Amino acid sequence: MPIESPVPAAGEEYPAGLSRRTFIAATAAAGGATASGLLAEPAEAAEAAENGRVSLTVNGARHATTVDNRTSLLDLLREHLGLTGSKKGCNAGACGACTVLVDGRRVVSCLTLAVRLNGADVTTVEGLADGDLLHPLQQAFIDQDALQCGFCTPGQIVSGVGCIREGHTGSREEIREWMSGNICRCGCYPKIVRAVEQAAGRK
Amino acid sequence: MSPQPQAAVGRPVSRVEGRLKVTGQAKYAADQTASGTAHAAVVDSSIARGRITGLDTAAAEACPGVLRVISHRNAPTLPYLPNRGSLNLPGERLHVFQDDRVLFHGQPVAVVVATTLEAAQHAASLVHVQYTAEPSATDLTSAPADEPTTYARGDAAAALASAAVRLDLTYRLSRMHHNPMEPHAIVTRWDGAELTVWDKTQWVQSTRDELAAVFGINPASVRVISPYVGGAFGNAARCWPHATIAALAAREAGRPVKLVLTRRQLYFGVGYRPAYEYRLSIGSDLQGRLTASVHDLRSETSRYETFAERGVLVPGRMLYTTPNVTQSHRTVPLDVNTPTPMRGPGYSTAAFPIESAVDELAHELGIDPIELRRRNEPENDQASGLPFSTRRLRECYTVGAREFGWNRRNPKPRTTRDGDWLIGMGVATAVYDTLRAPAQAHVRLDARGTAVVESATSDMGPGTYTSMSQVAADALGIDVPQVTFRLGDTTLPQAPVHGGSLTMASIGSTVQDGCDRVRQQAIALAVGDERSPLYGADPAAVVVYDGRLHVKGDPARGETYRQLLTRNDRTHLEATGSYTPAQSRASMHAYGAVFAEVAVDARLGMVRVRRMLGVYDAGRIISPKLADSQAIGGMVGGIGAALMEHTVTDHRDGRIVNANLAEYLVPVNADVPALKAIYLNGRDDQADPIGVKGLGEVVLVGVAPAVANAVFHATGRRVRHLPIAPEDLL
């Protein structure tokens, strides 16, 4: 199907409320139907937004709660449970700042809907320390100065805990590869690798 | 007064707020989750230039949870009083929701306020906006420019014409976005006419003054709080339009509002490093001594404000001995939002063309690139005529060449292979000026011998909390854990913007002054107190170490702060420190030599950095552990600039097509191999009282050209634009 140029010439108008991307999708899907007719659909869907019940464990504490079906695990943690350690860096699964462990596996919580986590066991950065005793990787981040601004740090540490549990710490190269889902814009990467090495007992 | 023992400064102290950050307890702006706070979502324009002709908010307003939809149709007129502070620029800042004009793609056209984030985001997607689009221009290369800023010395045209060697080169630098990990976020709360703001900002005063000016209220009625900043690199120094939106939304909705820009919105809701076209002609004699250079620059700005990078013309005037120099810098107004300083502003822009051209000249003449730079090392600053306060570039080259193994480099390009990989080594010089600004700090030492030091500065990652605690600890003669440093609140003593590498020099000198005053108060109290072992001692001979005052050279004669203050019924001593930079009688800059080794896949053109070394002359290093992190981070940022980072605009409609972290590439862990930084021991006492020259900017400056020069050495292919892509090398 041909996709026509979505860009209006000077003086032309964009169809109401459409970004170029949705306009491309809409015109492609409708095969030339007017875009405005398609817009009613999401609007109706919004009115039908529903809540769901979910029961899950976060850092050892049970939570049974009603959540908006649209709520991500990240927003549940941050906005409803007061656990703001996990960060929203991109909300698109590209930066890793929101990384938590779900049933022991690393996930990006921004792309995980909360309602589908019934029975799940979630660990966030707030759940790693044993009282005042830091998790060895938390201590290693301080020792190696593997952080600067600190915003990606919770995700890096949780991801590093996952990396160590998965056994991907055989070499610096392996750690670098398996820690590459977590962006650090301050550029602490070599020190993050050293911190993971330290906590993994490699040095 | 006797100099205090240096016990904390210069030691590898761990980040004092590290524990809060590794446990997730450090509260960034978006982490404020007071109950009753509403959420805001911004609707942004989908044209680059034109007018809003229709704005249907009915569907959005019908959504459960939506409290308000605000646009130019219903927003109150805001005063937008002049504000010469807050880093506002020539022109007029963007006014939000005040008329139907659209000035760039992504301009805010409405905001939805709702009880939940989900409701706000969804309702924002239902706001129907219609536009009449007008032709827009977003391409730097084809639009008309403003009148230039110029500089000239000697007769560059004549010198070029008679030069033994002459190179005429055009370099292009892509637009780059800071992309700190923390998106811009703000929480606003009105209590009557008083506004409290939790903001992501490098300068709380900037947000305070701008919001006060926009809303026409007294700055004293605005309090801005920002204890932690999740990176910024320059883009949180100004107060951007979303701050006004959040404050307006809170006022209209009658409750606190949290607004967090999406990652996509960070590409037009806040500033960026502008794209450049940089034409450079250089002439030299056959020994590689520069005789002339001509620099003609064009950079993008918005139509409503003029942004020109400070410092972009400086290296061309002072980095190398050049008798004849002509420069012009034209800004090109486009239908885009306004750029802003990004780490190493100006200097890092100029470094790519200048350091590439010097490398090209060295190759042309068959002279080693370091030797060529040595031959052009000036004896004083040729632009100002001033002597250098300190300039140890020769030493940077020597140490760097030795540590990096420069002598193993075969001068001939494309001669070193490792299997499929072509191996190359490159070098570049870094320079950034030493900035300082007036500041104040309050110091309170209590009878337990602990201190609280406060200044309204910021810590976006370099470690202000830690380094200021080190300076205070030594000046008071106590241990670092006994010091609490507070920042990021407009109720604290005034501080300049946390940027331009001026924080350590300015706030550090201020903190030292305040602590010196408190220590001298204590000493005066002791030597005048008959019950003190120090009674009658010469105040100038008394030092404090580990919380104990004693006569220098006679540690037995003394007493602790606790003993002194308790006996005198004093709960505390306090003083306000201040710092005002002296007029400089020297040219003050931080310097560095950056070395890079790259491997380029001979068939695929893929570039991998293998190792880097930076050697820096940055004056005294207060906090070596954190300074090392800064340098490593600068190299990582420079690798991004060299090989990845590029904001791509569709010039048909002004839309940024890669406004996300999946398509705007930044380095990840796998991209970053062995990096090493060396700071030369020393201090610069002309620069400021604590002898520092600033280091956060200079560590980025030379990285991209060092990588580019290594790519040339590996491949024999000279790429004169950034970033260097695989297709450039095929």
Side-chain angles (χ1 to χ4, degrees):
Chain A
M1 173 183 314
I3 298 177
E4 295 173 359
S5 167
V7 183
E12 285 182 9
E13 292 187 349
Y14 271 97
L18 287 186
S19 72
R20 281 192 54 220
R21 190 176 297 277
T22 52
F23 184 54
I24 293 169
T27 48
T34 58
S36 55
L38 293 171
L39 268 175
E41 205 168 4
E44 283 157 13
E47 283 157 19
E50 287 175 6
N51 296 333
R53 289 286 296 172
V54 63
S55 173
L56 74 174
T57 303
V58 181
N59 300 331
R62 293 272 293 173
H63 296 273
T65 183
T66 301
V67 297
D68 188 318
N69 287 351
R70 300 169 295 190
T71 301
S72 66
L73 172 58
L74 178 61
D75 287 330
L76 173 70
L77 294 169
R78 290 181 52 81
E79 302 295 340
H80 301 278
L81 301 184
L83 294 170
T84 56
S86 306
K87 302 303 184 200
K88 186 182 286 186
C90 73
N91 212 30
C95 79
C98 66
T99 304
V100 301
L101 299 177
V102 175
D103 298 328
R105 293 168 60 96
R106 295 188 260 180
V107 304
V108 282
S109 60
C110 71
L111 292 187
T112 307
L113 286 174
V115 284
R116 60 179 285 266
L117 291 181
N118 212 29
D121 184 11
V122 178
T123 303
T124 73
V125 71
E126 289 96 338
L128 294 177
D130 181 6
D132 284 342
L133 183 65
L134 294 179
H135 183 284
L137 187 57
Q138 291 174 313
Q139 186 60 50
F141 263 64
I142 295 174
D143 294 345
Q144 301 293 342
D145 203 36
L147 67 150
Q148 290 181 49
C149 79
F151 196 81
C152 76
T153 307
Q156 298 279 0
I157 290 176
V158 173
S159 191
V161 169
C163 181
I164 293 168
R165 283 189 192 165
E166 295 156 18
H168 294 307
T169 57
S171 67
R172 287 193 170 179
E173 290 67 30
E174 189 179 9
I175 295 170
R176 279 164 50 191
E177 196 72 27
W178 287 86
M179 287 299 290
S180 279
N182 293 78
I183 297 173
C184 171
R185 191 60 164 155
C186 297
C188 299
Y189 297 129
K191 301 181 179 210
I192 291 168
V193 171
R194 272 179 237 151
V196 172
E197 276 187 309
Q198 176 182 322
R202 287 195 65 243
K203 57 180 242 184
Chain B
M1 108 184 123
S2 209
Q4 276 290 102
Q6 183 174 311
V9 169
R11 292 182 63 85
V13 173
S14 290
R15 220 165 271 271
V16 298
E17 82 288 11
R19 190 179 185 92
L20 287 175
K21 286 180 173 175
V22 301
T23 55
Q25 301 305 312
K27 296 290 182 200
Y28 300 80
D31 297 341
Q32 303 299 328
T33 53
S35 66
T37 300
H39 296 263
V42 173
V43 180
D44 40 67
S45 78
S46 56
I47 63 165
R49 180 181 171 88
R51 290 187 182 277
I52 302 165
T53 55
L55 204 144
D56 182 357
T57 59
E61 283 164 345
C63 283
V66 169
L67 300 169
R68 286 281 190 288
V69 182
I70 305 166
S71 70
H72 74 284
R73 296 279 174 91
N74 60 355
T77 300
L78 296 173
Y80 274 102
L81 301 179
N83 174 18
R84 296 172 68 90
S86 301
L87 304 170
N88 283 333
L89 295 166
E92 178 56 32
R93 72 268 224 223
L94 186 76
H95 294 195
V96 293
F97 310 151
Q98 300 296 293
D99 58 39
D100 63 354
R101 292 293 309 175
V102 174
L103 302 177
F104 58 88
H105 198 292
Q107 175 186 317
V109 295
V111 63
V112 175
V113 189
T115 52
T116 69
L117 179 60
E118 292 80 7
Q121 287 173 337
H122 182 67
S125 76
L126 300 179
V127 174
H128 298 179
V129 187
Q130 288 182 301
Y131 304 95
T132 299
E134 298 165 9
S136 61
T138 55
D139 187 354
L140 169 71
T141 59
S142 56
D146 293 325
E147 286 301 303
T149 299
T150 59
Y151 170 82
R153 68 168 178 255
D155 186 343
L160 266 186
S162 62
V165 183
R166 171 181 176 157
L167 300 176
D168 296 297
L169 307 161
T170 299
Y171 297 89
R172 292 194 169 81
L173 292 97
S174 299
R175 184 194 286 196
M176 292 172 60
H177 272 82
H178 309 63
N179 271 308
M181 295 317 299
E182 180 194 23
H184 280 63
I186 186 165
V187 177
T188 51
R189 187 185 77 201
W190 292 89
D191 300 292
E194 305 284 307
L195 175 62
T196 305
V197 172
W198 290 264
D199 191 19
K200 172 206 176 85
T201 178
Q202 292 166 249
W203 197 12
V204 286
Q205 182 181 310
S206 161
T207 301
R208 179 195 66 191
D209 292 352
E210 178 67 357
L211 287 177
V214 169
F215 287 88
I217 58 179
N218 189 328
S221 298
V222 183
R223 180 181 179 192
V224 181
I225 302 166
S226 181
Y228 296 100
V229 177
F233 315 108
N235 81 350
R238 283 193 76 182
C239 177
W240 301 105
H242 69 273
T244 296
I245 294 173
L248 176 64
R251 204 172 70 176
E252 295 296 305
R255 60 165 98 185
V257 164
K258 180 193 289 190
L259 172 57
V260 184
L261 294 186
T262 66
R263 181 58 59 178
R264 188 181 65 84
Q265 288 170 336
L266 294 177
Y267 287 80
F268 38 76
V270 300
Y272 52 88
R273 194 199 297 281
Y276 271 85
E277 184 180 85
Y278 195 122
R279 293 177 190 273
L280 175 58
S281 298
I282 56 172
S284 92
D285 64 19
L286 290 174
Q287 285 72 47
R289 293 187 191 88
L290 294 170
T291 54
S293 64
V294 176
H295 311 246
D296 292 308
L297 290 69
R298 286 163 60 92
S299 66
E300 56 184 339
T301 187
S302 68
R303 289 207 194 277
Y304 52 97
E305 289 174 311
T306 301
F307 174 78
E309 279 191 309
R310 192 194 66 82
V312 72
L313 296 177
V314 176
R317 297 174 195 171
M318 56 68 69
L319 188 52
Y320 299 115
T321 304
T322 319
N324 305 285
V325 178
T326 303
Q327 296 180 310
S328 75
H329 180 192
R330 292 175 171 82
T331 50
V332 179
L334 298 169
D335 298 301
V336 298
N337 64 307
T338 307
T340 208
M342 180 168 166
R343 197 172 191 178
Y347 289 80
S348 87
T349 300
F352 174 59
I354 293 173
E355 291 304 299
S356 295
V358 166
D359 199 67
E360 297 201 39
L361 180 64
H363 176 70
E364 193 79 15
L365 292 168
I367 300 172
D368 178 83
I370 294 176
E371 172 57 25
L372 185 127
R373 286 174 171 84
R374 287 182 184 280
R375 289 182 189 178
N376 289 289
E377 181 67 9
E379 292 309 314
N380 64 2
D381 186 322
Q382 289 191 300
S384 62
L386 295 173
F388 297 115
S389 58
T390 51
R391 171 164 165 140
R392 299 164 68 193
L393 256 178
R394 288 187 181 92
E395 205 176 335
C396 291
Y397 297 139
T398 301
V399 172
R402 185 181 67 223
E403 296 292 317
F404 199 67
W406 186 254
N407 60 0
R408 297 200 300 271
R409 176 182 183 267
N410 182 336
K412 199 167 154 47
R414 210 179 174 98
T415 49
T416 307
R417 287 188 80 111
D418 179 3
D420 287 339
W421 297 90
L422 302 166
I423 309 300
M425 287 164 71
V427 66
T429 305
V431 58
Y432 194 84
D433 59 345
T434 296
L435 301 175
R436 305 144 317 152
Q440 294 193 320
H442 184 259
V443 180
R444 178 189 161 112
L445 175 77
D446 70 26
R448 289 166 304 179
T450 61
V452 175
V453 183
E454 303 175 316
S455 183
T457 181
S458 170
D459 188 348
M460 61 175 152
T464 314
Y465 281 110
T466 308
S467 54
M468 297 309 156
S469 297
Q470 290 174 266
V471 170
D474 279 359
L476 290 170
I478 59 180
D479 291 338
V480 170
Q482 311 303 118
V483 179
T484 301
F485 187 74
R486 292 194 185 131
L487 52 71
D489 189 328
T490 46
T491 60
L492 303 179
Q494 174 270 329
V497 60
H498 173 48
S501 291
L502 58 69
T503 301
M504 196 68 245
S506 309
I507 314 296
S509 297
T510 307
V511 165
Q512 174 159 292
D513 178 63
C515 293
D516 283 347
R517 290 170 189 267
V518 167
R519 189 182 77 252
Q520 285 164 16
Q521 284 179 26
I523 292 170
L525 187 62
V527 301
D529 177 0
E530 291 178 3
R531 297 161 296 176
S532 171
L534 292 166
Y535 178 63
D538 174 8
V542 177
V543 296
V544 188
Y545 182 75
D546 202 12
R548 187 170 176 279
L549 302 83
H550 65 85
V551 175
K552 194 177 184 191
D554 183 7
R557 186 182 171 193
E559 63 175 333
T560 63
Y561 280 133
R562 180 194 293 263
Q563 291 165 327
L564 174 68
L565 269 64
T566 305
R567 190 177 63 246
N568 284 281
D569 294 324
R570 301 287 287 268
T571 58
H572 66 276
L573 302 173
E574 63 186 328
T576 296
S578 66
Y579 168 64
T580 306
Q583 179 152 17
S584 55
R585 291 185 295 270
S587 168
M588 301 183 301
H589 298 79
Y591 297 93
V594 186
F595 296 76
E597 180 180 302
V598 303
V600 183
D601 189 300
R603 283 177 294 188
L604 300 178
M606 190 165 67
V607 181
R608 304 293 291 167
V609 174
R610 287 199 161 180
R611 61 192 181 101
M612 293 194 79
L613 169 68
V615 183
Y616 304 102
D617 160 25
R620 185 170 173 226
I621 302 302
I622 301 295
S623 194
K625 186 169 180 175
L626 278 52
D628 185 67
S629 294
Q630 282 246 70
I632 301 301
M635 291 182 214
V636 175
I639 291 171
L643 301 174
M644 301 172 198
E645 297 187 39
H646 180 193
T647 305
V648 182
T649 302
D650 184 337
H651 295 306
R652 295 175 301 173
D653 67 351
R655 185 177 69 98
I656 295 169
V657 300
N658 62 338
N660 58 73
L661 286 174
E663 294 166 294
Y664 182 102
L665 301 183
V666 300
V668 298
N669 211 320
D671 295 313
V672 176
L675 307 179
K676 184 179 176 185
I678 297 171
Y679 290 99
L680 300 180
N681 273 324
R683 57 185 294 152
D684 189 332
D685 287 319
Q686 288 186 68
D688 47 75
I690 63 171
V692 305
K693 295 205 286 185
L695 58 86
E697 321 286 336
V698 75
V699 294
L700 179 87
V701 171
V703 181
V707 172
N709 291 341
V711 168
F712 170 75
H713 181 237
T715 64
R717 192 77 66 88
R718 178 65 66 178
V719 180
R720 298 194 184 91
H721 60 252
L722 294 181
I724 298 170
E727 56 265 34
D728 298 321
L729 302 170
L730 296 176

